[in-house]
Structures are given as structure tokens and as C-alpha cells.
Amino acid sequence: MSIHVRQWRPVAVWQWECGRQRECGICQAGLEATCPGCQLPGDECPVVKGKCQHPYHEHCIVKW
């Protein structure tokens, strides 16, 4: 018995490592989404932790 793969469609899922909190404490948008000033999530709008260890969008915490 042999198996021949005719088509392969890989799927990837990403997620920020931010503990249990799933939204920015400043803009209240999800951390998987972007801050109000950005178009696409990812390296342009990373999640950072403040001194309190809560996660925020980098642009939100810098403006605040």
C-alpha cells in the first residue's frame, strides 16, 4: 500500500505570548489585532509588557 500526496496546503497560526490577558489595557483592542493607528498586526505593532508586566500594543504604551 502506498500513499501519493496530490496536494498540500500548510496552515500556520501565530499568537503573542502574553499570558491570560488578551486585550490591550489602553485601547481595549485584542492583542492579536492592531492598535488603532496600524493596518496590519505583526512586527510593525508588537506587544510589549509594561513595568507592571501587563501586555500592551507598543504604540499605545508609547503614546500613553
Side-chain angles (χ1 to χ4, degrees):
M1 176 184 209
S2 64
I3 298 174
H4 298 280
V5 178
R6 293 180 186 213
Q7 201 172 44
W8 183 55
R9 295 181 186 165
V11 177
V13 177
W14 66 274
Q15 180 176 347
W16 295 108
E17 291 184 22
C18 50
R20 295 184 309 191
Q21 189 171 351
R22 296 286 176 218
E23 57 191 32
C24 176
I26 297 171
C27 71
Q28 300 298 308
L31 292 171
E32 307 301 331
T34 63
C35 69
C38 290
Q39 300 267 337
L40 298 170
D43 293 338
E44 297 297 319
C45 191
V47 173
V48 295
K49 288 189 178 182
K51 289 183 181 179
C52 59
Q53 297 301 310
H54 288 102
Y56 302 99
H57 294 117
E58 181 180 29
H59 297 139
C60 293
I61 196 72
V62 169
K63 287 179 187 177
W64 187 59

